[in-house]
Each structure stands twice: as C-alpha cells, then as structure tokens.
Amino acid sequence: MSEPFVFDPRCDLCKTPFGAVVCGTSVTFSCRPLLSERFDHCALVLHGDFSGEVQEIELSPVQTDGDRFRFTCTVDAPAEPELIWYHFRFWRNDGSGCVLDKSGYRSDGKLEPWQLTVYRESHTPQWFGAGMVYQIFPDRFFRTAVPDPAGMVGERTVHETWEDAPVWRPDERGIVRNSDFFGGNLAGVTEKLDDLAALGVTTVYFCPIFESASNHRYNTADYERIDPMLGTEEDLRTLCEQARQRGIRVILDGVFNHIGSQSKYFNEDGFYPSLGAAQSQESPYFQWFSFHPWPYDYDAWWGIKTLPAVREEHPAYVDYIIENENAIIRRWLRCGASGWRLDVADELPDWFIRKIRAAMEETDSDSLLIGEVWEDASTKIAYSQRRQYLLGSEVHGVMNYPFRSALLDYLKGGGAEHFCEAMETLRENYPPAAFHAAMNFLGTHDTARILTVLGADTVPGDKAQRAEFRLSPVQRQRGIALLKLAALVLFTFPGAPTVYYGDEAGMEGWEDPFNRGTYPWGREDHDLKATFALLAALRHSRPSLHTGSIRYLCARDSLLAFERQSAEERSVTVVNRSAESKPLSIPWNASAATDLLTGQTFCTCNGHLHLTLPPYGGLLLE
C-alpha cells in the first residue's frame, strides 16, 4: 500500500462511516502499522466524555497490505448520544509498545485523542440554506418615517438624518448608552421585501425586535411587545405573511440569559406601572434574579449592571419563556416566525435549550433553532462543563465563526490548506445535518465590516481614528476583489450562506457601533450587489450547492478548489486569493467546463482542466 498513514479517520481504509454517527451505528476501525514495527497486538481505547465509561477492545489481525499489516474491529456506537475520545495501543509479545493518537506514536503518557460524535437522528428543516440568509439590524435597515420617541422606555434620541454616523462617544458620565435611534422599522422591511427577494434572500434573521431601551435591543424590556419604534405585532404578522408569499422565512433573536434593567421584569427606573424585582421583593419576577443583597447587588451578564442575569432554572421563568401554552417561544412562532436564534447559547443550560427545541417542534414541526456559539460546537466547554448542542435534541445548527475565521485567515495571506483542515475538522465532528445547517457568514453585528477587514492594511489603534476611518480607493478596490472571492466561497460551501445587511452594498466600518451604520439606499455598490445576487441565484437553483457532498481538489498556498456533488450535478469552486496569476490543473471527466459566473468555457486535455487564474480570480465551474 502506498498510503503513508497508520490511521486516518477521514480515510475509509481506516474508519467507516465517516465522521459523526447515529446512536447504535456499527463503526469499523482499521490500523495499518508497518511490518517492520513488529507489532503483534493492537487495541482501540474509547472514553465516553458524558458517561465516563472507558472501553478497550483488541483489534483482529486480518491481512498484510504490502509493507503494512492491518488490524481491524467493528464497534457499535452507544444507544444514547455521546462524545467519545479514542486512541490505539500497540504492543509486542515481549511487552514493548506505545500508543497512537493524532500526533503519531508516543510513549510519554500524554494523549491527543481522536473524536467520535454520537448523535440522535432528528428532523432538520430543509428550507434553511437553500438561498441567502440576510441578517438585519432593525433600527438601521429602512424607515418609513422619522419616529417620535416620546413615551417609550429609555431616554431615546432620534437622528433626523438617515446618513448620520451612530453615536459612539461616552456621555458625561463615561457611559455609552446606545440610546440613539435611526427609526428603522418592520414596515420598512416589508416595503423592501421585493428588493430582498430580487437579491436572492430566502431567510431574514432579525437582531432583537422586542421592546428595549437600547438601539441594539439585546437588553429586553418586554418579550411580549414589539418595540413601538419598530411597529406592532400586526406589523410583524404582515411582514411574515408577505415574506412567505415571496418564499422568505423569518428568524427572530431570542435573548433569554439576561434582560434589561429598564424592563418590566426588573424595572430599576420605575418606568413600568407594575412592580419589578428591583422595586419590591413581592414582585412576581423577584425570584427570576439572584440578589446579594437586594436591591443593589445582583448577578448580571459579564458584570454589566444594565443586563441583570436571569435564573433560567426558576419554574416561573421556564413556564413564561417556554412551557406555557402562550409562552414567548410559542407565541411568536404562531405570529409567523419560522425559527429562533439563541443569543449567548453557551450561557443557557443544555436542558433549557432542549426544552426550547421541544416547544418549537410542538408548535411548528418545521421551525429552526440556531445557537450563537463562537467555537467548535461539538467540543465547546463553558463554565467548566462540556456542552451538548448538536446531539439531536438541542439546536439544529450554530453560527459558524470558525468558518469566518478560517476564510479570513486564508484571504489575508494564509495557506488554503489551513482553511481545508479547519473545515474538515468541523465536517468530521458535526452531524451531517448540523454541518449543512451551520450559519456561515463573513460578518455580523458583533464583528467589523468584512470589506473593511479585507481592504485595510492595519487596524487603527485609537477608537476616534476607527470612527473616521474609510478605505482609500486602492484599499477599497483590493477589498472588493477579495470580498467577491469570500462571497464565492460563502455561497458554494456547505451550510447556510448568511449576509449581514449592507455587506453586499459595500458598507464599511470597524467594531460596534461603526459596523451598525444605516443601509446606504441609493448609494449601493451595484456591481458588488449584482455579484451577491448572482451567487444567491446559483445557490438556490443548484442542488449540489445546497445539499451536495464536498471534496477538496486543491488546497495549497493561495489556491483553493473544492467540488460539490449531488445526484443531479457537479459544481466546482476555484479561488486564487493571490495578487499574482497562478496556474492550476484539476481533474475533469468531461470535454469542457463552463464558468457559471461569466459563461466562459474551458476545454479539457487528457482528463484535466489546465487553468491560469488571474489575480484575485474565482470560478464556479460546471
């Protein structure tokens, strides 16, 4: 055998089936040490992360493969979801030996085990990821009129001019209030639904829309009420109904780990007529919070006192958010929403997330649950506990920050092999449905604008400088070229391609609030927007890009090429992120290939396509 490895879990010579497996699945492992190593025995050592159970199973010697010997065994995965860590132990009849893990042979007592995710099979909505997911920061997308903030919770100010910059300087007390509003509203989104449909949007994901004292609305004041500056419950119903008519679903943002101190539940400033927990221990919400002592000291999200943390375990809170017939989770699904995105999912207990999923399935069996997780969600540890997100009863998918990180590293000069390795690790660790339901993105309300990141040479060290920063013409030209490549990968990769409002229009900006400017209606980069629309249309029309398998044809330095294959078709993405032209040859079993982006045709020679990719060049071949 010419293959140099003793064990590679991504190769079917060594492990089948690939990656994560359904509970009870039979998994075959094979190791191939060199004959010259004279190993007489091999054992598979498995450690269950959740159960703590350790098994050691000796593999059977089955055959000689050239200069290698093959040991093999078949193991049934546990009947319940589990995260299994495994390695191999080799020994000779004289007692000498070693272990084999991800680092190779070793005898130092340390381990870098491989991972096997065991999950329960469940339904994942197929509508997610068929086209484009579009994230809207509601206050900044489009307004139908300049609102009057009188009588609303919080000390709000409103920008008369849509093109103003968001306020970023602290007030006289050194606090950034996030209390300046532009007045974007739900009716404004409804008015722009035809534009979104033309762009290729099939799902709108809203940042929070419930009543709140801040423009970001992550400090909820009333879960039962749409923020009056955004509109009414009827406005949301109308939006969801008209969106459905255009093939667009709506996902809401659920912030259930903390609320606002200026909320009807806490009511620190007495805005609401009912008793809040900060006013009286007789408040019906008092037990939702942990005071020590009441009323001045309490648990808060990351110690931020405007964001009191709730006790998710309190029965009244669970009933209010999840279990009651008119609970928040159920109520807004019945209003027309098709799913929820869970803010700071790593700060919600696993059982709480499972209850949300169950309530959603009871209310709408085809609704979707996405979690905000910034790392590999299959191995995430939060507050010293291994989390369970993707085992069949929790979220359907997570926000794919590892995708963004790996893609940006590649586009900004890293090797394509590192992007490939990072993504293959996720594909190996995630259940297939969760890998395809990952929310892939280039930017969000929590990151700098993607065009600024790709175009800028350095990050200004001073916030005032970042507030004033704009890309130079040369920087912007390079940034747009790289952004088009990023979008090409985004729309052709497994997962749901997600676009932060305005990225397709060429918006710039560093961190919050510079990344939360108003949408530049009438001032969009129309060429860039057309690129996004074309990619979204191709994504929607080609089954291979939605549900197809993935195989890497090249991942070397500046060159990246991967194939998506379905029963109906084959699509191949080719990228050169270098500022120089690069040659590339890839196998091709047809007489020609067509670039779906330009219509250009390439002929094959001896079963290969020989391409010369221009600087910042990208192709989508069929």
Side-chain angles (χ1 to χ4, degrees):
M1 300 291 287
S2 61
E3 293 82 0
F5 47 83
V6 179
F7 178 78
D8 180 356
R10 298 175 189 168
C11 176
D12 58 10
L13 281 173
C14 298
K15 177 179 174 289
T16 56
F18 174 87
V21 298
V22 176
C23 294
T25 299
S26 294
V27 185
T28 298
F29 297 89
S30 296
C31 280
R32 308 165 50 257
L34 289 166
L35 291 170
S36 60
E37 290 162 337
R38 299 183 296 105
F39 288 125
D40 300 298
H41 304 275
C42 174
L44 170 67
V45 183
L46 307 122
H47 175 256
D49 199 288
F50 306 140
S51 66
E53 182 180 349
V54 178
Q55 283 183 283
E56 183 166 320
I57 301 167
E58 187 162 353
L59 281 69
S60 301
V62 289
Q63 65 184 66
T64 302
D65 293 338
D67 61 351
R68 293 182 178 273
F69 197 74
R70 182 185 294 269
F71 293 92
T72 190
C73 73
T74 298
V75 178
D76 289 338
E80 295 296 323
E82 180 63 280
L83 181 62
I84 294 176
W85 304 104
Y86 67 93
H87 66 279
F88 298 92
R89 189 168 67 86
F90 291 93
W91 68 98
R92 305 176 185 91
N93 287 334
D94 64 6
S96 63
C98 60
V99 300
L100 176 73
D101 65 8
K102 292 170 73 172
S103 68
Y105 291 127
R106 66 194 307 170
S107 303
D108 58 4
K110 299 179 181 179
L111 280 176
E112 294 180 46
W114 288 280
Q115 173 182 337
L116 176 64
T117 305
V118 181
Y119 65 97
R120 181 178 292 108
E121 200 162 25
S122 60
H123 169 72
T124 296
Q126 294 302 299
W127 51 265
F128 188 62
M132 179 197 300
V133 182
Y134 196 75
Q135 181 186 355
I136 292 179
F137 193 85
D139 185 60
R140 310 290 161 83
F141 184 65
F142 186 69
R143 69 184 181 192
T144 53
V146 179
D148 179 1
M152 298 182 187
V153 65
E155 298 176 1
R156 309 187 189 198
T157 61
V158 176
H159 293 266
E160 293 285 335
T161 303
W162 183 251
E163 291 76 19
D164 283 353
V167 173
W168 63 272
R169 294 183 186 276
D171 63 14
E172 64 280 358
R173 286 178 285 179
I175 300 173
V176 178
R177 296 288 179 183
N178 294 305
S179 58
D180 65 313
F181 290 76
F182 284 83
N185 56 16
L186 297 181
V189 179
T190 302
E191 188 171 316
K192 294 296 184 180
L193 282 175
D194 286 339
D195 296 77
L196 295 177
L199 184 62
V201 173
T202 54
T203 303
V204 169
Y205 152 47
F206 279 113
C207 290
I209 62 173
F210 304 116
E211 185 167 44
S212 172
S214 298
N215 54 44
H216 54 69
R217 299 187 173 93
Y218 280 94
N219 52 339
T220 311
D222 188 347
Y223 291 108
E224 299 176 48
R225 190 182 187 209
I226 305 297
D227 191 281
M229 197 171 279
L230 289 176
T232 64
E233 182 172 332
E234 188 56 37
D235 289 327
L236 179 62
R237 289 184 183 277
T238 299
L239 169 58
C240 292
E241 289 170 4
Q242 294 200 17
R244 283 285 187 111
Q245 292 171 12
R246 293 164 174 81
I248 299 174
R249 304 269 190 151
V250 171
I251 295 176
L252 302 180
D253 209 332
V255 187
F256 302 128
N257 165 264
H258 54 269
I259 51 84
S261 58
Q262 295 172 283
S263 67
K264 74 176 187 179
Y265 316 103
F266 206 76
N267 209 15
E268 188 174 56
D269 60 358
F271 174 82
Y272 291 93
S274 56
L275 282 179
Q279 298 168 301
S280 172
Q281 297 185 42
E282 300 303 314
S283 167
Y285 312 114
F286 176 75
Q287 296 295 333
W288 289 14
F289 307 96
S290 294
F291 290 96
H292 36 82
W294 179 86
Y296 302 110
D297 194 15
Y298 46 88
D299 290 348
W301 185 74
W302 286 72
I304 301 171
K305 290 303 184 180
T306 56
L307 300 174
V310 297
R311 296 174 57 208
E312 294 97 344
E313 73 277 8
H314 194 273
Y317 185 72
V318 175
D319 190 61
Y320 179 76
I321 295 294
I322 305 172
E323 295 193 329
N324 187 281
E325 181 62 23
N326 294 312
I328 300 305
I329 288 292
R330 303 173 189 267
R331 171 180 175 171
W332 296 110
L333 290 178
R334 294 194 188 100
C335 189
S338 294
W340 288 93
R341 175 262 193 189
L342 295 180
D343 183 60
V344 293
D346 57 348
E347 307 213 21
L348 295 171
D350 291 343
W351 61 264
F352 192 86
I353 295 175
R354 285 192 287 267
K355 280 182 175 290
I356 289 176
R357 169 82 175 262
M360 290 176 63
E361 291 181 344
E362 288 175 6
T363 308
D364 178 356
S365 61
D366 206 32
S367 58
L368 179 82
L369 184 60
I370 296 292
E372 181 195 13
V373 181
W374 286 58
E375 301 85 8
D376 181 333
S378 70
T379 56
K380 169 77 175 183
I381 294 177
Y383 300 97
S384 302
Q385 288 191 338
R386 182 80 67 187
R387 302 306 305 274
Q388 300 179 29
Y389 292 124
L390 303 173
L391 301 180
S393 302
E394 305 83 17
V395 297
H396 295 99
V398 294
M399 299 184 73
N400 202 347
Y401 278 93
F403 169 85
R404 177 183 185 270
S405 298
L407 183 56
L408 287 184
D409 286 347
Y410 162 60
L411 292 173
K412 291 174 72 66
E417 57 271 25
H418 302 302
F419 173 80
C420 173
E421 174 61 25
M423 294 301 96
E424 283 295 88
T425 297
L426 286 190
R427 188 169 74 93
E428 186 178 5
N429 291 351
Y430 285 17
F435 186 68
H436 283 268
M439 184 182 274
N440 298 342
F441 55 85
L442 306 176
T444 72
H445 64 291
D446 285 326
T447 67
R449 285 281 175 179
I450 182 63
L451 182 55
T452 298
V453 173
L454 293 175
D457 300 305
T458 58
V459 180
D462 181 76
K463 190 158 188 175
Q465 293 175 322
R466 295 197 295 277
E468 297 297 325
F469 181 87
R470 298 295 182 274
L471 295 171
S472 70
V474 172
Q475 289 175 324
R476 188 172 173 91
Q477 183 179 21
R478 180 181 68 230
I480 286 176
L482 288 171
L483 177 50
K484 287 182 178 181
L485 294 185
L488 173 59
V489 176
L490 175 71
F491 279 92
T492 58
F493 202 78
T498 303
V499 175
Y500 184 46
Y501 80 102
D503 278 351
E504 82 288 357
M507 288 181 67
E508 299 180 25
W510 291 109
E511 79 280 12
D512 165 27
F514 314 126
N515 59 352
R516 301 175 183 181
T518 53
Y519 188 93
W521 295 106
R523 297 175 287 113
E524 303 98 321
D525 184 316
H526 293 290
D527 176 66
L528 184 60
K529 192 172 180 179
T531 297
F532 275 77
L534 173 59
L535 289 168
L538 290 168
R539 171 77 182 205
H540 193 263
S541 64
R542 295 184 66 78
S544 59
L545 298 181
H546 183 203
T547 59
S549 61
I550 185 169
R551 182 169 70 96
Y552 291 86
L553 305 179
C554 178
R556 183 182 68 253
D557 297 329
S558 65
L559 296 173
L560 174 66
F562 57 86
E563 169 192 86
R564 302 292 308 281
Q565 179 82 49
S566 67
E568 300 90 344
E569 65 190 17
R570 179 189 190 214
S571 303
V572 174
T573 298
V574 180
V575 173
N576 170 29
R577 63 104 176 104
S578 173
E580 301 175 355
S581 296
K582 296 287 182 179
L584 176 65
S585 178
I586 57 175
W588 202 262
N589 59 4
S591 60
T594 300
D595 178 21
L596 294 169
L597 304 178
T598 63
Q600 184 178 3
T601 299
F602 304 89
C603 295
T604 57
C605 179
N606 297 324
H608 281 75
L609 276 179
H610 300 287
L611 305 167
T612 299
L613 295 168
Y616 307 130
L619 306 169
L620 179 55
L621 301 171
E622 72 162 349

